[in-house]
Structures are given as structure tokens and as C-alpha cells.
Amino acid sequence: MDPIDAGAGGLLRQPKAVWATAGASVAAFMGIGLVDPILPSIAQGLDATAGQVSLLFTSYFLITAFAMLVTGFVSSRIGGRRTLLLGLALVVVFAGLAGTSDTIGQLVGYRAGWGLGNALFVSTALAVIVGAAAGGSAAAILLYESALGLGMACGPLLGALLGDASWRYPFFGTAALMAIGFLGITVFLKEQPKPARRTSLLDPLKALGHGGLASVAASAFFYNYTFFTVLAFTPFVLDMTPYASGAVFFAWGLLLAVFSVLVAPRLQRRFGSLKVLGGSLLLLAADVLVLGYGGHTTAIACTILSGAFIGVNNTVYTELALGVSDAPRPVASAGYNFVRWFAAAAAPFFAPRIEEWTDIHVPFVVAAVTAVLGAVVVAVRREALTHEAAETEPRHAAEDGVTVFAN
């Protein structure tokens, strides 16, 4: 059955707890791309270089990667609701503090604390939505992917609108939105049953011992380097006003959302997940290569177009990570994210430095190569990645009380 058809009927008929969690998820994902349109403004306001400003992404995702080993440990002990609230509270505090920064060092540090809070929230939100949603896990995952796409699209737009007055305002705006999300979850979400087995700190690493999951994580590592080269480095290349840059990344986010939620499932059904993923990675590689060597208008068009390939990749990678191994879904997701977020931390750090060592084109050549490497891993490890999610459905259903979303 088409995932869209399976989930669309119940998508809008959800409990208030699900809408509260999904709404907070939109705000959480907005925080990822929020700084994109204002990176040049931050650099100017704090007298920082592009390399220093890029550390806003590096510190955020480096902490996020390590936090993946902690989130399951925490949520299996204090419950999903309290973990969500803890994550939201940390984001409110550190996003607010980020807006008061006087130096780039302070801002990078506060952004790291923000990353910890976001990791606690985002890693738990999907499980909470699946557990509380009506209409089965297909509708729940569709709703979650919609929240991700909407957040990624609106983050740059909010950053542009508020950042046009001051680079500080987007941080205060995010803190306010997450505070609203905190109140919504406090009021509408009841505590869900804790897992029968507590997750240890080493469980996500042990889960990576499964060849299929390790292969997905390795491929996603290379892909995420490409993804975050586009997200974190391209604003400096485009060199546009916050409004113009925000419009570009809003269009990019819309394509990401549409292709993630509507296009990817249909392509998977017709061609299979691995063919879709491999083809999309190669197309992304070609796109970023043209982005790096094209003129300004071409760079804008390729930046927007990359959202389509990124949307497809995000959906396929998520489903593979959740279904390729027999590990509990939260544990498999934590291990997978632990690996891939390191690339999200590395790309913003290395891209501006590669430009300094060479020229402005080479960071995109490197990004194209990493996308190709991601496709190579998919091709070489094809046998390990063909494990069907349906084979693990009974085990996952017994572990978390929900139906597994099958490809």
C-alpha cells in the first residue's frame, strides 16, 4: 500500500497531543536553518570570519551527535514526555542566551547547548507521535515528515524576516516559539508508558554492529556532508541580503518538504528504495557541482533544486535506518544519527577552510564526491541493505506497541 494512501486518511484526525508535539517539532526543525540567511550579518555584527561563523553549525551538530548516545538512556528512564520537555527547556534557555551574545565564541557555545536540547527533543518526538497518533504509524510518520519539511522551509524565512532588523531577533523568536511548544506539550501530552527495557549508553553503538544499519549510517555520513555544505556554506557564496537568502532557502525547503512527503514514497514504490536513493545521490552530486561552477543565477537555481534530492534522500534514509536491522527503532535511530551528524558538524567546518586553501569551487567538488561515495556505499552494500522492514515488524511492535511503517 502507498504510504501516502495509508496515512492520509488519518493524517488530520489526530489527538491534540500529536498536534502539540508536531507543532513543537516544526519549531525545532526551524532552528536548524534559522541562521542561514543571517550568517553574513552575524559575521559582520560580531566581527567574525566565515570560518568562525560556520562553527555555529559545527558545535550544534557535534553536540547533537554525541547526544544521540544519551537520548535513549534518558527517555527510557524518565519517559518520553519529560524528555521532550527537558529538550524544549534547554532550547528556550540557550536560544535566548544566543541572542545576547557579544562574541562569536559565546554564540558558538550557546548554539552547542541548543544542540543538546534539540537532540533530546527531536530524537524522542517521532516515537511520541507514533505512540499517540491515530491511523497507524504511516499517518504518524507522514505527519512527522511534514513537520520536518515545514520547519526546514520556514526556518530560513523566519531568520530573514527577523534578521533583517537584527541578527539577534531570530534567536529570541525561536526561544519564544519553543516556549509555546513547551506549554502545548505540558497541557496536551500525557506521559506514555516507558519501554519494558531501559536503554544503555552503549546500545546505539552495539546496534551499529549490524551490517545493514552500519551501511546505512556510512552512506548517510557521506550524504550529510553534501547536505550541510549546501546548507551552511552556500549562503556565503550567494552573498545576498537576508530577505533574498531567506526566499531562496524557503523555496529550497518547500521542495524538500514536497519531495520528502509526496514524491519519495511514490518513487520507492515504483523503483525500490535503493535505486531511488542511489539515483538521487548521483543527481545531488551533479547539482552541487554545477552550483559550484555556475554563475550567480545558476547557483540560486541549483541551491533550490537540491532541496528536491535532499527531501527524497531524507525519507529513504530514515526508513532504511528504522527497518534494516532488528534493533529497537529508537536504538537503531540513535546509532544511525550518531554517525551521520558527525558529517553535519564536519561540513560547515571544512568547507570555508577548503575555500581558503584553494578556491570557492573546490568545496562543492568535495561535496559532489561525498554524495557519489554515499551512492557507492549503497551499491556495494546492496545485499546488506535489502533486509525488509516487514521482517522486523513483529519484534518492533512487541517492543513499542505500534505498527512498523514498512516501505
Side-chain angles (χ1 to χ4, degrees), residues 338-367:
F338 172 71
V339 174
R340 76 183 183 108
W341 286 131
F342 276 110
F349 178 81
F350 284 112
R353 284 159 182 79
I354 292 173
E355 180 198 7
E356 292 174 4
W357 301 331
T358 55
D359 59 49
I360 199 169
H361 308 296
V362 177
F364 294 101
V365 174
V366 174

Side-chain angles (χ1 to χ4, degrees), residues 13-39:
R13 297 189 296 272
Q14 298 295 336
K16 292 180 180 179
V18 172
W19 287 116
T21 307
S25 297
V26 172
F29 287 119
M30 286 173 65
I32 295 178
L34 177 85
V35 299
D36 257 35
I38 58 172
L39 288 175

Side-chain angles (χ1 to χ4, degrees), residues 119-148:
L120 287 169
F121 176 83
V122 170
S123 64
T124 309
L126 177 57
V128 170
I129 290 175
V130 169
S137 61
I141 293 178
L142 182 62
L143 185 62
Y144 181 81
E145 292 288 348
S146 300
L148 186 156

Side-chain angles (χ1 to χ4, degrees), residues 152-172:
M152 293 294 284
C154 292
L157 190 61
L158 178 67
L161 293 175
L162 297 179
D164 189 60
S166 170
W167 65 263
R168 300 179 187 274
Y169 290 170
F171 297 106
F172 295 139

Side-chain angles (χ1 to χ4, degrees), residues 1 3 137-138 141 210 212-213 216 268 273-274 315-329 332 382-400 402-407:
M1 180 180 292
S137 61
I141 293 178
H210 185 279
L213 183 61
V216 174
Q268 288 174 271
S273 294
L274 298 188
T315 293
V316 179
Y317 273 121
T318 298
E319 293 182 15
L320 285 175
L322 293 181
V324 76
S325 75
D326 58 359
R329 287 187 299 177
R382 186 177 189 84
E383 185 175 347
L385 293 171
T386 53
H387 185 103
E388 294 294 337
E391 295 181 24
T392 62
E393 181 167 345
R395 176 168 179 163
H396 288 314
E399 286 165 346
D400 58 23
V402 297
T403 303
V404 170
F405 179 57
N407 295 331

Side-chain angles (χ1 to χ4, degrees), residues 181-199:
F182 184 97
L183 292 175
I185 289 177
T186 299
V187 173
F188 296 115
L189 180 64
K190 296 180 180 179
E191 186 57 80
Q192 296 180 311
K194 297 178 184 178
R197 177 181 174 275
R198 290 184 174 183
T199 301

